[in-house]
Amino acid sequence: MVKTRHFLSNPTDNKMERVSNSIEALMNAAKAEIENFELRSEEKIIAYFSELPTIGRFPYKIILAEISDGSILSKFRQWDTEYNLKQWTSGINNLDRLRIITDEKILSETDTAILKKELSKLELIKLPETIRDQKTIILDGSEWKLGISLANKNRDYTWIASTEDINLFVPIIELIRKQYLDRIK
């Protein structure tokens, strides 16, 4: 039986905290938290990549945002699954107290040039509507997401198993992931 309850975090505060024994509720809360990037008015997302693994691993999302001066800012958010699951040993999870690891940095000039070159290549071709391999079944696998924002087209892709069209995006995915390889577990 799945239970989700709300408790007052502080008796003088009217904010309710959500606790649940549902793994699905926990994963949904984690997904919402890693999606919660605060952008400044001068930042525009040009690409993102995320991995939403099965429970027990570390879901994360990385965005690349262009700043008005042309530089690219990389922002990272990851749920510290290990910390929270060690903290909540009884199977009751506090959905409002997830530990989220964050970081941000400016891409190097070299990485910025590579990214802009790869995005320019994508501007010139017809992008696939999907890169999800519909013929493959994977049980208990990670869900991957990639988004790109180009001058004349925007695409969001989600897959568990991809088609060969993923090769169009591998240089961008590798560049995005490279920024935080030391943090991605």
Side-chain angles (χ1 to χ4, degrees):
M1 174 185 228
V2 174
K3 294 181 181 177
T4 302
R5 293 192 176 159
H6 298 275
F7 295 97
L8 288 175
S9 60
N10 180 340
T12 61
D13 181 4
N14 288 330
K15 183 177 182 254
M16 302 289 271
E17 287 193 351
R18 300 168 299 141
V19 296
S20 177
N21 67 344
S22 165
I23 296 299
E24 182 179 359
L26 179 61
M27 288 304 293
N28 288 338
K31 287 177 189 179
E33 282 295 323
I34 65 169
E35 292 281 334
N36 191 18
F37 286 92
E38 293 183 19
L39 295 174
R40 297 175 208 59
S41 61
E42 71 273 7
E43 297 173 350
K44 176 188 166 219
I45 296 176
I46 57 172
Y48 69 83
F49 181 77
S50 69
E51 179 185 3
L52 302 168
T54 55
I55 191 71
R57 299 218 11 245
F58 296 78
Y60 67 89
K61 183 172 183 175
I62 304 167
I63 65 168
L64 300 180
E66 188 168 26
I67 304 171
S68 54
D69 67 3
S71 58
I72 307 293
L73 182 63
S74 176
K75 293 185 176 196
F76 174 81
R77 289 183 65 84
Q78 180 180 49
W79 175 33
D80 191 344
T81 312
E82 182 178 36
Y83 173 83
N84 281 139
L85 294 182
K86 282 183 180 175
Q87 184 182 28
W88 303 323
T89 57
S90 67
I92 304 298
N93 308 303
N94 187 325
L95 306 180
D96 292 321
R97 293 187 184 255
L98 299 179
R99 182 176 183 194
I100 304 298
I101 300 164
T102 63
D103 196 4
E104 80 178 51
K105 59 178 98 172
I106 299 286
L107 259 62
S108 69
E109 289 182 19
T110 303
D111 283 348
T112 298
I114 292 168
L115 177 67
K116 289 183 178 184
K117 177 183 169 192
E118 292 299 325
L119 291 174
S120 293
K121 286 181 188 178
L122 295 177
E123 289 276 2
L124 303 174
I125 63 172
K126 182 179 186 309
L127 296 177
E129 292 299 317
T130 183
I131 57 175
R132 179 186 293 260
D133 186 343
Q134 302 292 344
K135 297 175 185 169
T136 302
I137 297 173
I138 296 179
L139 302 175
D140 207 26
S142 292
E143 179 180 75
W144 307 86
K145 294 183 178 186
L146 170 70
I148 53 171
S149 178
L150 305 171
N152 62 359
K153 53 192 155 192
N154 297 324
R155 287 288 192 277
D156 292 295
Y157 298 105
T158 301
W159 70 95
I160 294 172
S162 64
T163 64
E164 287 186 20
D165 286 333
I166 189 74
N167 293 326
L168 294 169
F169 308 106
V170 167
I172 294 170
I173 293 169
E174 288 177 349
L175 186 135
I176 293 172
R177 291 185 80 229
K178 176 181 112 173
Q179 306 308 312
Y180 299 100
L181 277 178
D182 61 324
R183 297 203 177 222
I184 299 171
K185 299 178 183 188

